[in-house]
Amino acid sequence: MFRSSSFYHYSHNHVATSFKSFFFFIPTTLALLTSLFILIYVYSTSIIFTHHHHQHHHKFQPILHLKSSSPNFTLPSPTSHLTTSSHKNDSEFIKSHTFQLGDHILGLGPQSQHGLSPDQSSLKAERSTQKKKIALSFGSEKFEEKTNVFHDRDIFLEDYKEMHRSFKIYVYPHKKDDPFANVLLPVKTEPGGNYASESYFKKALMKSHFITNDPTEADLFFMPFSIASLRHDRRVGVGGIKDFVRDYVQNIIHKYPYWNRTDGADHFYVACHSIGRSAMDKAPDVKFNAIQVVCSSSYFLSGYIAHKDACLPQIWPRKENLPKLVSSNRRKLAFFAGAANSALRRNLVETWKNDSEIFVHHGRLKTPYADELLGSKFCLHVKGFEVNTARIGDSLYYGCVPVIIADHYDLPFADVLNWKSFSVVVTTLDIPLLKKILKSMVNSGEYLMLQRNVLKVRKHFQWHSPPLELDSFYMVMYELWLRRSSIPILLGDS
Ligand SMILES: *[C@@H]1O[C@H](CO)[C@@H](O)[C@H](O)[C@H]1NC(C)=O
Ligand SMILES: *[C@@H]1O[C@H](CO)[C@@H](O)[C@H](O)[C@H]1NC(C)=O
Ligand SMILES: *[C@@H]1O[C@H](CO)[C@@H](O)[C@H](O)[C@H]1NC(C)=O
Ligand SMILES: *[C@@H]1O[C@H](CO)[C@@H](O)[C@H](O)[C@H]1NC(C)=O
């Protein structure tokens, strides 16, 4: 305001007036600035307040307040931490967020650890004891906590059976001669490529026993548009996806009674291409209320809401026979290949490019990719343009222990699988310590345990047509099943 006013005056060349107004503006501006600071302060503390207020949510509980009972409800976006924790420097910020990821993987929930209010301190103490217990568990009687690939295998299997028995999905029907049948109906061919997960899911779902034609017995409603197909459709293209989705949702809102019952909380869509992240920009009700099953599941970005939404694993379909998945032939400590398309990857390449044990490649690989994955103990997944890639799926497929260096990534099936038991999750700040961390795991024997568990979880990261028990399809169904419970409560709410 000050700047634009003085600009106005100077531009009119009335020097005297300018001076006058300049002196007039100093106190006014100071007063305005002070009020502004007070406002920002009040605003930021109140965000901290709201944020902590929601900390008690349990790990599997869907975020029920997401229902837009207040129409102009806005989420505290993850970036708000950046402004509210201005007393922290970047490294502290990254650490506190990495804690969240750690907690999430330990099944303690992704709640924030920093800036706890007094009434939270006991919870914090409890958590940190829990964390210490788990941290100290390796090599002790608590060994099990880290070696189990499931957070709780018995509960999972029991629940999984129940899902098979009773879970029902209603898919919005579309005819074969619909002009957008290519986008709305499952593909006939075998899915392929980087975004195959999206096609595999729809194909498997439509033929499964979860499908019901009776909406009254449906737990969830599927909106079957494919973001990847829309992207390739000349009539729509990248630029038209948002409008297509808005029109599609408007159409089902008016044509069917189901959306209005829960404001869309029992609706879901599935997308693997990262462009899906902005596809709901003109359909905010989908973004804030529906279940988004997406590959680009970063809770640092505003499009994705952890707990409400779910991570779809990105998997490059492979069918080779694999002769040597065991750990013995793996001579290289760690391997990474990928374009140096992020500061993080450039940092990794800079730090380790000359190393004789950690092999980082940012150009064309001279050896076959599969040989590298089969010949390394650890395979690095480092965030590039996007948090997700098919790399984690690749490492698991080839029996290589994944090392995840991608803060804020909501890892696939983390509700069910104990990522600590088959992967190494390190913060971006740990890149210089990578060799030390990985070597100590090899020396302590922890690596062998991780590799054995990689072989156990491999099956959850594969698609098949038709699907096999506990493969990616059924695991994604289970993630949806965990999120279905919001509906009865929402109905009771209205
Ligand atoms: C909500 O937002 C809409 C459009 O932005 C506005 O017209 C309406 O008055 C707002 N309602 C409330 C309760 O703030
Ligand atoms: C940020 O905080 C960390 C931990 O408190 C400290 O080690 C680091 O030196 C700080 N960095 C800056 C730039 O102040
Ligand atoms: C659902 O609610 C919207 C907005 O209130 C309304 O325009 C629409 O007609 C409703 N849908 C049905 C099927 O009644
Ligand atoms: C890697 O090797 C090159 C040439 O041998 C050298 O110039 C560079 O400083 C080395 N980098 C590191 C990080 O050691």
Side-chain angles (χ1 to χ4, degrees), residues 311-328:
C311 177
L312 177 71
Q314 185 162 354
I315 291 158
W316 187 283
R318 296 177 195 281
K319 296 236 179 308
E320 306 125 75
N321 280 326
L322 291 175
K324 40 179 184 179
L325 281 179
V326 288
S327 59
S328 54

Side-chain angles (χ1 to χ4, degrees), residues 100-375:
Q100 295 185 7
L101 185 61
D103 271 356
H104 196 95
I105 285 155
L106 293 172
L108 303 179
Q111 288 84 359
S112 169
Q113 291 284 321
H114 55 85
L116 293 175
S117 56
D119 65 311
Q120 296 283 319
S121 55
S122 63
L123 181 70
K124 189 191 172 188
E126 192 188 309
R127 284 234 182 99
S128 71
T129 353
Q130 233 172 322
K131 245 204 298 272
K132 264 191 212 120
K133 265 193 213 151
I134 293 168
L136 293 174
S137 68
F138 194 76
S140 74
E141 74 276 5
K142 283 274 191 174
F143 187 76
E144 291 241 312
E145 275 193 62
K146 199 161 176 184
T147 59
N148 286 339
V149 301
F150 292 103
H151 293 305
D152 193 318
R153 190 171 184 276
D154 295 343
I155 289 180
F156 167 65
L157 290 178
E158 195 63 31
D159 208 25
Y160 179 87
K161 255 191 276 176
E162 179 61 21
M163 166 189 83
H164 258 304
R165 205 183 57 74
S166 64
F167 198 22
K168 290 290 171 228
I169 308 282
Y170 179 81
V171 183
Y172 282 105
H174 299 286
K175 293 200 176 72
K176 281 203 178 69
D177 59 359
D178 188 301
F180 282 98
N182 59 325
V183 166
L184 301 167
L185 298 182
V187 292
K188 291 202 182 68
T189 52
E190 187 72 11
N194 228 349
Y195 310 105
S197 297
E198 194 176 299
S199 308
Y200 267 117
F201 178 83
K202 186 154 67 178
K203 211 171 147 78
L205 176 69
M206 302 302 255
K207 287 191 176 156
S208 73
H209 65 273
F210 297 116
I211 295 292
T212 177
N213 292 324
D214 177 4
T216 62
E217 66 163 23
D219 298 293
L220 294 180
F221 294 78
F222 180 46
M223 300 178 282
F225 52 76
S226 156
I227 299 291
S229 310
L230 283 171
R231 195 170 149 260
H232 289 298
D233 193 311
R234 278 164 184 242
R235 295 165 295 175
V236 183
V238 173
I241 294 180
K242 290 175 195 172
D243 292 321
F244 183 95
V245 169
R246 180 201 53 208
D247 295 348
Y248 183 89
V249 174
Q250 280 307 315
N251 197 24
I252 61 169
I253 287 178
H254 287 103
K255 215 169 141 192
Y256 299 91
Y258 318 122
W259 180 281
N260 282 356
R261 296 188 313 197
T262 63
D263 276 335
D266 53 1
H267 282 54
F268 72 98
Y269 74 92
V270 173
C272 195
H273 198 284
S274 57
I275 214 166
R277 220 177 42 216
S278 58
M280 304 303 134
D281 283 359
K282 291 185 179 172
D285 280 0
V286 179
K287 180 145 90 182
F288 293 124
N289 299 342
I291 303 163
Q292 308 180 93
V293 184
V294 292
C295 291
S296 49
S297 56
S298 166
Y299 52 85
F300 189 68
L301 300 163
S302 59
Y304 180 84
I305 301 163
H307 297 283
K308 175 179 80 66
D309 299 333
C311 177
L312 177 71
Q314 185 162 354
I315 291 158
W316 187 283
R318 296 177 195 281
K319 296 236 179 308
E320 306 125 75
N321 280 326
L322 291 175
K324 40 179 184 179
L325 281 179
V326 288
S327 59
S328 54
N329 301 325
R330 299 175 183 270
R331 304 205 188 285
K332 293 179 178 171
L333 179 64
F335 163 76
F336 169 79
N341 62 11
S342 66
L344 191 54
R345 287 187 176 183
R346 283 190 288 276
N347 178 359
L348 179 89
V349 170
E350 265 315 300
T351 312
W352 295 110
K353 64 181 177 194
N354 293 348
D355 199 77
S356 58
E357 292 174 280
I358 294 182
F359 293 83
V360 293
H361 305 266
H362 62 287
R364 189 182 291 258
L365 265 184
K366 292 193 186 74
T367 44
Y369 183 53
D371 289 355
E372 295 288 351
L373 296 175
L374 284 165

Side-chain angles (χ1 to χ4, degrees), residues 90-108:
D90 274 3
S91 72
E92 276 177 286
F93 170 74
I94 292 168
K95 259 196 205 139
S96 54
H97 272 69
T98 314
F99 252 142
Q100 295 185 7
L101 185 61
D103 271 356
H104 196 95
I105 285 155
L106 293 172
L108 303 179

